[in-house]
Amino acid sequence: MMYYGSIVNEADTVIDEITMVQMPAGKSYTGLDQAEIFCHGGQFVLKQILQEIYKYDIRPAEPGEFTRRAFLAGRIDLTKAEAVADLIASKTEYAYRSARDNLLGELSQHINILRDRAISLLAEIEAAIDYPEENLDISEKESQLKSIKFLISNIKELIDSYKSGKIIKEGFKIAIAGRPNAGKSSLFNLLLNQNRAIVTPTPGTTRDYLTEWIELDGHAVSITDTAGLRKSTSAIEKSGQFYAKVEMKRADLIIWMADVSNKSWKSNLNSDLKKLSKFGNVLFVLNKTDLASKTALKNILPAIKELGIYGLDLSCKTKSGIGNLKKNLISSINKNMPDLTDRLIVTSERHKKKLAGSLKYLKNAQKGIQSEISPELIAFDLRQAVNEIDEITGRIYTEEILDNIFSRFCIGK
Ligand SMILES: Nc1nc2c(ncn2[C@@H]2O[C@H](COP(=O)(O)OP(=O)(O)O)[C@@H](O)[C@H]2O)c(=O)[nH]1
Ligand SMILES: [Mg+2]
């Protein structure tokens, strides 16, 4: 029911004209009795009304407290509560869709199916504890192994999905690296469409690393410009290079830039590539093609290809090749992205860790069934596996888990 009226202070002076919604327990967000006041939106009006309200036994909510209460009242489970924060934080279509699906219960439904299966297996095995004189027959053993195989493969699939889930949630990380003066900062600015990083002809201009977000084909992409890698004695440059390597390790894709106008780029190539082989996904970009002759360029990329490296050419100055580069970035991202329409994706590290814990116990239980060890021991592992799963949905929780989850929410959610 929505009411219309005024908020008055103790002296009966009207503070503001408002509407208010009253929501009875069981029909509100928190599941508890709840009221919402709609006043005019100015800072001062708000402060006046809150001051009046705080005179009663009322305090401001902690971050995430509304959602925490909804969880404690049993209205939503933990995966749904976490999905609320993900939904609010979502920056892209993918992140939004996976958060929405989890809010609607897709993850908890799937987890609960697995849980039911584990519980019925546990019941079967516990029955054997009660009747130790009856030997397990072959078909029973087969059916138990089938159940545990089903659980293991489903949980493994969920764990594997986190690789793309992490990208959905945290974005795809690209690090631009290379020797000094290759044009890294120029490319960074070009992809951002703004002059964010300082570009000068002096090698070693970029000492710190810079990270910005862009959207490519609906994906959130973080791009990091790093300090150029070369032998240096300067402490500042060395420190910059240290962080450059850290960023390269964290990246889902490294764009390695080389300056074709620099005579030593070819002689550096082999040692550069050796260093790069330690890193996963590398896209080689040959920059400053405006300074090289067309005939020279014709031979370079095929020669690089022979070394087993995929390369592109680019001129940050004339922007020739930038479209092709973006196309390659998008296809590299898409290779790492799942098809959200037919698969459940785990986007939370917490969920992944709990699933991995559960998997460990399930594998123990599988070994136990196979070698027909005492059912008590198998039951113990299965119960542990269920406990791990139960921490995902919040059937089992500690204050510490809740504090950890809800402290990340904003106030008022
Ligand atoms: N001619 C030409 N100059 C470029 C190109 N890209 C960058 N530069 C110049 O190369 C120098 C170094 O560029 P910068 O982006 O700072 O390189 P970084 O040290 O790798 O970050 C600057 O003077 C840029 O203007 C290009 O494609 N063509
Ligand atoms: Mg730079």
Side-chain angles (χ1 to χ4, degrees), residues 22-35 73 75:
Q22 191 197 345
M23 285 164 278
K27 294 194 169 176
S28 68
Y29 182 72
T30 55
L32 309 168
D33 278 316
Q34 203 176 319
R75 202 182 68 74

Side-chain angles (χ1 to χ4, degrees), residues 221-247:
V221 178
S222 84
I223 302 190
T224 302
D225 180 26
T226 64
L229 299 180
R230 64 169 170 185
K231 282 211 172 67
S232 167
T233 49
S234 141
I236 302 173
E237 218 181 318
K238 269 189 186 160
S239 171
Q241 296 186 1
F242 171 79
Y243 285 109
K245 284 175 198 156
V246 171
E247 289 302 308

Side-chain angles (χ1 to χ4, degrees), residues 29-30 59-72 76 78 81-82 84-85 88 402-413:
Y29 182 72
T30 55
R59 62 165 174 83
E62 308 277 335
E65 190 172 353
F66 287 98
T67 311
R68 186 178 188 142
R69 284 173 179 250
F71 165 71
L72 290 173
I76 53 174
L78 261 193
E82 289 170 295
V84 172
I88 293 164
L402 297 191
D403 287 347
N404 225 320
I405 291 171
F406 291 105
S407 62
R408 276 179 238 153
F409 278 61
C410 37
I411 291 172
K413 293 295 174 306

Side-chain angles (χ1 to χ4, degrees), residues 24-61:
K27 294 194 169 176
S28 68
Y29 182 72
T30 55
L32 309 168
D33 278 316
Q34 203 176 319
E36 276 179 29
I37 296 170
F38 298 80
C39 65
H40 291 102
Q43 286 286 337
F44 195 76
V45 180
L46 273 174
K47 225 157 113 189
Q48 295 282 103
I49 294 176
L50 286 173
Q51 247 170 34
E52 255 345 274
I53 289 175
Y54 292 157
K55 287 179 185 164
Y56 300 85
D57 189 18
I58 289 170
R59 62 165 174 83

Side-chain angles (χ1 to χ4, degrees), residues 10 36 50 88 100 104 114 131 157 201 214 225 256 329:
E10 278 165 320
E36 276 179 29
L50 286 173
I88 293 164
R100 179 204 57 196
L104 296 178
L114 298 178
Y131 302 100
E157 204 173 300
I214 60 165
D225 180 26
W256 181 265
L329 295 181

